Amino acid sequence: MSTLLTQRSLEAICQLPEASGLRLPRRSGYGFRCPSINSAGKGGVSLVYHRIDRGSVRYSLSRKQEPGVVVVAAQQQDCQRLLDEFRQACDTPQGKLETVVDSMVLEMEAGLAADEGCLLKMLPSYVENLPKGTERGVYYALDLGGTNFRVLRAVFRGPGEGCTQESEIFTIPEDLMLGKSEELFDFITSVSSGTLIHWSKGFKVSGTVGRDIVEVLRESIERRNFEMEVAALVNDTVGTLAGGRYINGDVMMAVILGTGTNACYIERAEAVPKWKGPPPKSGIHVINTEWGNFGSPTLPTTFADDELDRESVNPGEHIFEKMMSGMYLGDLVRRVLLKLANAGLFGGAVPEKLTKKGSLVTPDTSKMHADESPSLEILGEILQKKLELDSTTLEQRKVVYSVIDIITRRGARLAAAAIVAVLRKIGRDGRSGNGKARTVIAMDGGLYERYPQFRNYLREAFVKLLGEEAAKNVDIELSKDGSGIGAALLAACHSKYGAQQ
Ligand code: ADP
Ligand code: MG
């Protein structure tokens, strides 16, 4: 089998003192200081290798077939150094998280004061009424996430009678996420008013940005001759807030941690200087923060974040989301593993799959992270299945585990800081004002729901940032698919048929 060693790993090998027991094929005219390295100065040299035991590899030059045993200690040192550097770059000690909280609060204030030029859009959601439990009627909610599209049918029976719901989930075909709006909305309908500002999370649908998306949906419903009226268009965070509020009046905030991330919360009307419309009768605004777009020098970004961003469909945008949400965590892991593989993590051979976007996704890395066996067997199986790495040493698997842990921990802790920033903004962080009031955060999203390590890291940082006492008054409650039922409820309370006055 022929493989390519990088110049760096070859140089590292050449620099190893002979005392380390290394036998270099010095007599060879090519040796390790072969002309292709010294003169051309780039790239590697084609070598033949056989694995002889863990941690060491027998190399022979393909030109002269001179064997030389090379202990891969140099590569291991290289990888360890890279891993340590990466861990350090991702570090989020308490003090760092505090600066993230502070800068996010400032950005929230800026976004509430001005329409343009702010990182956080802080969009008032035009939701005048939140559900009261009096809603009636049959509603269909179409919930478009970043991966899944859910259709939900909800029947609300009025005061004290509760509701029933049925739903079905479809995966959005990738070509539609990057295609034309008609195709996407025709897909949606095969199963009021609002304007789409921009797509995030890997969507790039032409013909929608700046258009009234309800109109696009209506056109599609018309093309199919359905008897349906579009009653409301709400952001999924706002849906989750409404769904949570239907059940629990202490819900003040909703967070999505799924394919992407975002949050909305209940703000006092006076705290929104940019609002030029009539003051809302309810005295509140539901503000969609669009926090995925948060970006700040306080964020601990690395080469992997920069690379991922550059190659994304929305470079320079949604930097915060790209550090933590389900769409990206797995790919960040892949990028770091690729760098380590180039430094010799897998013995000089770089698995072809590792170079391909999409070969490792968050559900894979979360399964690997859940492996508690001392030999990291499950992690090894996933490496084999997803990256075609046929045999790995425990040392290598431990490195992979560390990379996943570092990235997940960073993401979860940043998510915690963002939640605390919102609580601080509304005086529910236990430091001021309503500190003693009970506060519930409605959480929706596959990442939070299905990734226990992420959840635990988030919770740990959250309690530390708030302080144990204050944290006792705040609950994060999973509101599974709350966004769909919440949207149906909002349709009910904003529809001429639904609200019981
Ligand atoms: P959407 O974001 O489309 O509304 P979900 O809330 O169900 O959908 O979230 C889906 C996302 O959750 C996927 O993109 C994936 O990254 C993440 N996810 C799904 N399963 C797991 C898992 N087992 N571990 C970690 N993340 C997961
Ligand atoms: Mg969703």
Side-chain angles (χ1 to χ4, degrees):
M1 187 212 267
S2 179
T3 184
L4 214 61
L5 277 188
T6 60
Q7 184 190 0
R8 246 186 87 191
S9 49
L10 273 175
E11 278 173 354
I13 290 166
C14 292
Q15 282 160 11
L16 267 187
E18 272 179 71
S20 70
L22 195 71
R23 284 198 289 128
L24 292 177
R26 282 190 189 284
R27 274 169 295 119
S28 152
Y30 295 93
F32 282 96
R33 298 188 183 278
C34 64
S36 75
I37 295 175
N38 287 337
S39 53
K42 60 173 180 311
V45 59
S46 195
L47 298 171
V48 178
Y49 79 89
H50 317 270
R51 165 159 283 130
I52 51 173
D53 63 30
R54 279 185 181 189
S56 62
V57 177
R58 176 185 291 272
Y59 291 98
S60 62
L61 283 172
S62 56
R63 293 285 290 268
K64 291 217 155 185
Q65 297 298 318
E66 280 208 24
V69 178
V70 176
V71 182
V72 291
Q75 295 177 338
Q76 281 177 3
Q77 275 175 9
D78 241 14
C79 290
Q80 197 53 54
R81 187 178 48 75
L82 281 176
L83 183 64
D84 291 344
E85 279 171 16
F86 184 70
R87 181 181 284 113
Q88 201 138 46
C90 288
D91 199 18
T92 48
Q94 174 105 356
K96 177 130 203 110
L97 288 184
E98 289 287 356
T99 61
V100 172
V101 173
D102 292 343
S103 68
M104 191 141 178
V105 170
L106 289 177
E107 287 296 341
M108 289 174 73
E109 276 162 3
L112 289 172
D115 270 330
E116 302 288 325
C118 300
L119 272 180
L120 300 186
K121 292 207 163 64
M122 306 299 283
L123 305 166
S125 64
Y126 299 90
V127 167
E128 290 259 330
N129 317 308
L130 284 165
K132 297 184 192 74
T134 53
E135 297 73 17
R136 261 181 210 282
V138 181
Y139 293 84
Y140 289 85
L142 310 177
D143 176 26
L144 183 63
T147 313
N148 299 315
F149 166 63
R150 295 183 181 80
V151 182
L152 177 125
R153 180 180 188 270
V155 183
F156 302 116
R157 295 201 203 77
E161 300 295 320
C163 70
T164 46
Q165 51 172 304
E166 304 157 58
S167 68
E168 213 164 318
I169 301 185
F170 305 87
T171 303
I172 306 165
E174 195 173 349
D175 51 330
L176 294 189
M177 290 172 68
L178 301 168
K180 291 204 191 113
S181 60
E182 289 83 8
E183 289 163 0
L184 176 67
F185 284 90
D186 283 349
F187 169 74
I188 286 172
T189 54
S190 72
V191 276
S192 331
S193 180
T195 303
L196 188 68
I197 296 179
H198 68 150
W199 291 99
S200 61
K201 296 185 290 200
F203 276 102
K204 207 168 194 172
V205 183
S206 59
T208 46
V209 173
R211 275 195 72 185
D212 181 339
I213 206 157
V214 173
E215 225 18 74
V216 184
L217 189 55
R218 275 199 189 115
E219 283 165 16
S220 184
I221 289 173
E222 219 160 87
R223 273 199 293 281
R224 291 182 178 271
N225 281 327
F226 287 161
E227 268 190 54
M228 269 186 163
E229 183 209 357
V230 183
L233 171 78
V234 290
N235 181 271
D236 55 355
T237 56
V238 179
T240 304
L241 183 84
R245 192 87 179 178
Y246 182 67
I247 300 166
N248 188 334
D250 294 330
V251 170
M252 292 299 290
M253 172 181 186
V255 176
I256 304 280
L257 280 165
T259 309
T261 184
N262 191 12
C264 77
Y265 71 101
I266 297 176
E267 180 62 282
R268 290 171 302 120
E270 317 85 82
V272 192
K274 72 176 176 184
W275 178 257
K276 298 290 180 272
K281 285 198 201 85
S282 55
I284 55 123
H285 282 295
V286 175
I287 301 288
N288 166 12
T289 62
E290 290 289 324
W291 79 17
N293 197 45
F294 180 61
S296 149
T298 60
L299 293 177
T301 52
T302 66
F303 77 93
D305 302 287
D306 298 344
E307 246 179 56
L308 182 149
D309 178 48
R310 261 200 316 277
E311 293 170 25
S312 67
V313 298
N314 53 349
E317 291 172 19
H318 283 245
I319 300 299
F320 195 61
E321 176 168 271
K322 286 171 183 164
M323 295 176 84
M324 72 178 68
S325 75
M327 171 142 186
Y328 306 105
L329 286 180
D331 198 53
L332 286 173
V333 171
R334 178 188 70 83
R335 286 169 193 278
V336 178
L337 292 184
L338 179 59
K339 183 162 184 176
L340 289 168
N342 276 320
L345 174 61
F346 302 112
V350 176
E352 168 78 11
K353 287 265 174 161
L354 207 45
T355 63
K356 302 267 184 303
K357 205 167 169 176
S359 56
L360 210 56
V361 292
T362 310
D364 302 326
T365 56
S366 107
K367 274 187 216 112
M368 289 154 104
H369 205 175
D371 188 354
E372 287 175 352
S373 67
S375 56
L376 295 175
E377 227 166 283
I378 301 162
L379 186 145
E381 278 166 22
I382 298 171
L383 284 178
Q384 191 167 33
K385 205 160 109 206
K386 297 286 165 172
L387 302 179
E388 293 169 2
L389 268 165
D390 284 338
S391 63
T392 46
T393 64
L394 180 58
E395 279 313 305
Q396 291 166 335
R397 294 196 292 278
K398 280 185 178 165
V399 171
V400 174
Y401 186 93
S402 296
V403 171
I404 298 171
D405 190 63
I406 292 166
I407 290 174
T408 303
R409 183 168 184 272
R410 180 189 71 165
R413 289 172 67 81
L414 290 174
I419 298 174
V420 170
V422 174
L423 295 180
R424 188 157 301 168
K425 175 74 189 66
I426 57 175
R428 297 274 183 140
D429 63 339
R431 289 192 173 185
S432 57
N434 288 321
K436 290 271 181 289
R438 175 130 220 95
T439 305
V440 175
I441 298 155
M443 177 74 79
D444 190 13
L447 181 74
Y448 187 85
E449 187 193 333
R450 278 173 247 147
Y451 199 162
Q453 285 76 11
F454 186 96
R455 237 175 11 236
N456 293 344
Y457 278 139
L458 189 155
R459 182 78 209 165
E460 183 188 69
F462 184 70
V463 171
K464 270 267 186 265
L465 283 168
L466 282 183
E468 300 227 353
E469 270 314 298
K472 284 184 190 150
N473 293 324
V474 187
D475 282 326
I476 300 178
E477 279 178 11
L478 187 67
S479 139
K480 192 164 143 44
D481 295 342
S483 56
I485 190 86
L489 280 162
L490 288 171
C493 42
H494 288 79
S495 143
K496 52 184 182 265
Y497 309 112
Q500 278 256 315
Q501 300 302 327

mmCIF file of all heavy atoms in Angstrom, residues 5-8 10-11 30 32-46 63:
data_model
loop_
_atom_site.group_PDB
_atom_site.id
_atom_site.type_symbol
_atom_site.label_atom_id
_atom_site.label_comp_id
_atom_site.label_asym_id
_atom_site.label_seq_id
_atom_site.Cartn_x
_atom_site.Cartn_y
_atom_site.Cartn_z
ATOM 1 N N LEU A 5 3.573 10.742 3.137
ATOM 2 C CA LEU A 5 3.910 11.403 4.392
ATOM 3 C C LEU A 5 4.080 12.885 4.108
ATOM 4 O O LEU A 5 4.606 13.254 3.069
ATOM 5 C CB LEU A 5 5.234 10.878 4.936
ATOM 6 C CG LEU A 5 5.195 9.584 5.724
ATOM 7 C CD1 LEU A 5 6.558 9.339 6.331
ATOM 8 C CD2 LEU A 5 4.162 9.641 6.819
ATOM 9 N N THR A 6 3.662 13.688 5.032
ATOM 10 C CA THR A 6 3.823 15.119 4.796
ATOM 11 C C THR A 6 5.264 15.512 5.098
ATOM 12 O O THR A 6 5.974 14.813 5.813
ATOM 13 C CB THR A 6 2.917 15.937 5.724
ATOM 14 O OG1 THR A 6 3.296 15.621 7.048
ATOM 15 C CG2 THR A 6 1.474 15.608 5.498
ATOM 16 N N GLN A 7 5.646 16.656 4.568
ATOM 17 C CA GLN A 7 7.010 17.111 4.793
ATOM 18 C C GLN A 7 7.257 17.277 6.281
ATOM 19 O O GLN A 7 8.300 16.932 6.802
ATOM 20 C CB GLN A 7 7.231 18.442 4.084
ATOM 21 C CG GLN A 7 8.680 18.894 4.211
ATOM 22 C CD GLN A 7 8.865 20.307 3.731
ATOM 23 O OE1 GLN A 7 7.922 20.937 3.302
ATOM 24 N NE2 GLN A 7 10.075 20.787 3.799
ATOM 25 N N ARG A 8 6.216 17.769 6.979
ATOM 26 C CA ARG A 8 6.389 18.024 8.406
ATOM 27 C C ARG A 8 6.695 16.780 9.199
ATOM 28 O O ARG A 8 7.595 16.752 10.015
ATOM 29 C CB ARG A 8 5.113 18.648 8.956
ATOM 30 C CG ARG A 8 5.421 20.044 9.392
ATOM 31 C CD ARG A 8 4.328 20.684 10.044
ATOM 32 N NE ARG A 8 4.300 20.424 11.460
ATOM 33 C CZ ARG A 8 3.260 20.745 12.176
ATOM 34 N NH1 ARG A 8 2.233 21.260 11.596
ATOM 35 N NH2 ARG A 8 3.280 20.532 13.451
ATOM 36 N N LEU A 10 7.906 14.042 8.051
ATOM 37 C CA LEU A 10 9.224 13.522 7.662
ATOM 38 C C LEU A 10 10.333 14.288 8.357
ATOM 39 O O LEU A 10 11.283 13.722 8.868
ATOM 40 C CB LEU A 10 9.400 13.631 6.148
ATOM 41 C CG LEU A 10 8.862 12.444 5.364
ATOM 42 C CD1 LEU A 10 8.975 12.714 3.880
ATOM 43 C CD2 LEU A 10 9.599 11.170 5.717
ATOM 44 N N GLU A 11 10.171 15.616 8.400
ATOM 45 C CA GLU A 11 11.190 16.435 9.056
ATOM 46 C C GLU A 11 11.288 16.075 10.533
ATOM 47 O O GLU A 11 12.373 15.976 11.083
ATOM 48 C CB GLU A 11 10.859 17.916 8.905
ATOM 49 C CG GLU A 11 11.318 18.449 7.570
ATOM 50 C CD GLU A 11 10.850 19.868 7.334
ATOM 51 O OE1 GLU A 11 10.068 20.390 8.160
ATOM 52 O OE2 GLU A 11 11.260 20.424 6.324
ATOM 53 N N TYR A 30 18.409 8.567 -1.295
ATOM 54 C CA TYR A 30 17.174 9.324 -1.102
ATOM 55 C C TYR A 30 16.895 9.500 0.380
ATOM 56 O O TYR A 30 16.712 10.591 0.862
ATOM 57 C CB TYR A 30 16.011 8.619 -1.808
ATOM 58 C CG TYR A 30 16.205 8.616 -3.291
ATOM 59 C CD1 TYR A 30 16.830 7.544 -3.921
ATOM 60 C CD2 TYR A 30 15.836 9.719 -4.049
ATOM 61 C CE1 TYR A 30 17.046 7.563 -5.292
ATOM 62 C CE2 TYR A 30 16.033 9.760 -5.410
ATOM 63 C CZ TYR A 30 16.642 8.676 -6.033
ATOM 64 O OH TYR A 30 16.853 8.694 -7.355
ATOM 65 N N PHE A 32 15.526 9.859 4.049
ATOM 66 C CA PHE A 32 14.414 10.727 4.405
ATOM 67 C C PHE A 32 14.655 12.157 3.957
ATOM 68 O O PHE A 32 13.763 12.956 3.894
ATOM 69 C CB PHE A 32 14.133 10.663 5.909
ATOM 70 C CG PHE A 32 13.382 9.411 6.256
ATOM 71 C CD1 PHE A 32 14.066 8.293 6.697
ATOM 72 C CD2 PHE A 32 12.010 9.339 6.097
ATOM 73 C CE1 PHE A 32 13.382 7.136 6.993
ATOM 74 C CE2 PHE A 32 11.325 8.191 6.396
ATOM 75 C CZ PHE A 32 12.010 7.066 6.845
ATOM 76 N N ARG A 33 15.955 12.450 3.715
ATOM 77 C CA ARG A 33 16.229 13.782 3.181
ATOM 78 C C ARG A 33 16.242 13.686 1.669
ATOM 79 O O ARG A 33 17.229 13.973 1.026
ATOM 80 C CB ARG A 33 17.581 14.280 3.688
ATOM 81 C CG ARG A 33 17.624 14.408 5.190
ATOM 82 C CD ARG A 33 18.887 15.081 5.648
ATOM 83 N NE ARG A 33 18.924 15.114 7.096
ATOM 84 C CZ ARG A 33 18.285 16.035 7.814
ATOM 85 N NH1 ARG A 33 17.590 16.975 7.204
ATOM 86 N NH2 ARG A 33 18.336 15.997 9.113
ATOM 87 N N CYS A 34 15.159 13.232 1.144
ATOM 88 C CA CYS A 34 15.136 13.003 -0.302
ATOM 89 C C CYS A 34 14.979 14.329 -1.040
ATOM 90 O O CYS A 34 14.508 15.305 -0.482
ATOM 91 C CB CYS A 34 14.022 12.039 -0.654
ATOM 92 S SG CYS A 34 12.429 12.705 -0.282
ATOM 93 N N PRO A 35 15.455 14.379 -2.274
ATOM 94 C CA PRO A 35 15.485 15.640 -3.024
ATOM 95 C C PRO A 35 14.125 16.323 -3.091
ATOM 96 O O PRO A 35 14.046 17.543 -3.088
ATOM 97 C CB PRO A 35 15.937 15.215 -4.425
ATOM 98 C CG PRO A 35 16.551 13.868 -4.240
ATOM 99 C CD PRO A 35 15.953 13.256 -3.029
ATOM 100 N N SER A 36 13.068 15.525 -3.112
ATOM 101 C CA SER A 36 11.770 16.172 -3.277
ATOM 102 C C SER A 36 11.446 17.070 -2.083
ATOM 103 O O SER A 36 10.678 17.987 -2.195
ATOM 104 C CB SER A 36 10.659 15.144 -3.473
ATOM 105 O OG SER A 36 10.369 14.534 -2.243
ATOM 106 N N ILE A 37 12.061 16.779 -0.951
ATOM 107 C CA ILE A 37 11.812 17.649 0.209
ATOM 108 C C ILE A 37 12.758 18.838 0.182
ATOM 109 O O ILE A 37 12.348 19.976 0.331
ATOM 110 C CB ILE A 37 12.017 16.875 1.527
ATOM 111 C CG1 ILE A 37 10.963 15.792 1.617
ATOM 112 C CG2 ILE A 37 11.925 17.815 2.717
ATOM 113 C CD1 ILE A 37 11.137 14.910 2.808
ATOM 114 N N ASN A 38 14.065 18.544 -0.042
ATOM 115 C CA ASN A 38 15.042 19.623 0.026
ATOM 116 C C ASN A 38 14.887 20.629 -1.105
ATOM 117 O O ASN A 38 14.953 21.821 -0.879
ATOM 118 C CB ASN A 38 16.458 19.052 0.007
ATOM 119 C CG ASN A 38 16.759 18.394 1.342
ATOM 120 O OD1 ASN A 38 16.129 18.740 2.326
ATOM 121 N ND2 ASN A 38 17.682 17.453 1.343
ATOM 122 N N SER A 39 14.676 20.143 -2.297
ATOM 123 C CA SER A 39 14.629 21.086 -3.410
ATOM 124 C C SER A 39 13.226 21.659 -3.623
ATOM 125 O O SER A 39 13.025 22.862 -3.526
ATOM 126 C CB SER A 39 15.140 20.420 -4.690
ATOM 127 O OG SER A 39 14.441 19.211 -4.903
ATOM 128 N N ALA A 40 12.269 20.782 -3.846
ATOM 129 C CA ALA A 40 10.925 21.300 -4.127
ATOM 130 C C ALA A 40 10.323 21.926 -2.863
ATOM 131 O O ALA A 40 9.595 22.911 -2.936
ATOM 132 C CB ALA A 40 10.027 20.199 -4.644
ATOM 133 N N GLY A 41 10.681 21.364 -1.747
ATOM 134 C CA GLY A 41 10.257 21.951 -0.483
ATOM 135 C C GLY A 41 8.794 21.813 -0.156
ATOM 136 O O GLY A 41 8.286 22.449 0.749
ATOM 137 N N LYS A 42 8.067 21.036 -0.887
ATOM 138 C CA LYS A 42 6.668 20.880 -0.497
ATOM 139 C C LYS A 42 6.216 19.432 -0.737
ATOM 140 O O LYS A 42 6.754 18.717 -1.562
ATOM 141 C CB LYS A 42 5.776 21.842 -1.273
ATOM 142 C CG LYS A 42 5.799 21.664 -2.776
ATOM 143 C CD LYS A 42 4.742 22.569 -3.362
ATOM 144 C CE LYS A 42 4.586 22.571 -4.833
ATOM 145 N NZ LYS A 42 5.580 22.688 -5.749
ATOM 146 N N GLY A 43 5.267 19.056 0.019
ATOM 147 C CA GLY A 43 4.663 17.754 -0.192
ATOM 148 C C GLY A 43 5.498 16.635 0.371
ATOM 149 O O GLY A 43 6.509 16.837 1.031
ATOM 150 N N GLY A 44 5.073 15.441 0.130
ATOM 151 C CA GLY A 44 5.701 14.291 0.755
ATOM 152 C C GLY A 44 6.415 13.429 -0.243
ATOM 153 O O GLY A 44 6.742 13.848 -1.343
ATOM 154 N N VAL A 45 6.669 12.226 0.179
ATOM 155 C CA VAL A 45 7.359 11.286 -0.675
ATOM 156 C C VAL A 45 6.591 9.976 -0.589
ATOM 157 O O VAL A 45 6.036 9.644 0.451
ATOM 158 C CB VAL A 45 8.829 11.160 -0.227
ATOM 159 C CG1 VAL A 45 8.922 10.690 1.211
ATOM 160 C CG2 VAL A 45 9.581 10.206 -1.120
ATOM 161 N N SER A 46 6.511 9.291 -1.673
ATOM 162 C CA SER A 46 5.719 8.073 -1.683
ATOM 163 C C SER A 46 6.473 6.953 -0.984
ATOM 164 O O SER A 46 7.611 6.663 -1.298
ATOM 165 C CB SER A 46 5.425 7.693 -3.125
ATOM 166 O OG SER A 46 4.408 6.743 -3.121
ATOM 167 N N ARG A 63 11.327 3.803 -3.880
ATOM 168 C CA ARG A 63 12.304 3.882 -4.969
ATOM 169 C C ARG A 63 13.350 2.773 -4.853
ATOM 170 O O ARG A 63 13.664 2.101 -5.809
ATOM 171 C CB ARG A 63 13.030 5.235 -4.949
ATOM 172 C CG ARG A 63 12.165 6.415 -5.266
ATOM 173 C CD ARG A 63 11.843 6.489 -6.735
ATOM 174 N NE ARG A 63 13.011 6.848 -7.530
ATOM 175 C CZ ARG A 63 13.322 8.100 -7.842
ATOM 176 N NH1 ARG A 63 12.576 9.091 -7.402
ATOM 177 N NH2 ARG A 63 14.362 8.369 -8.584
#
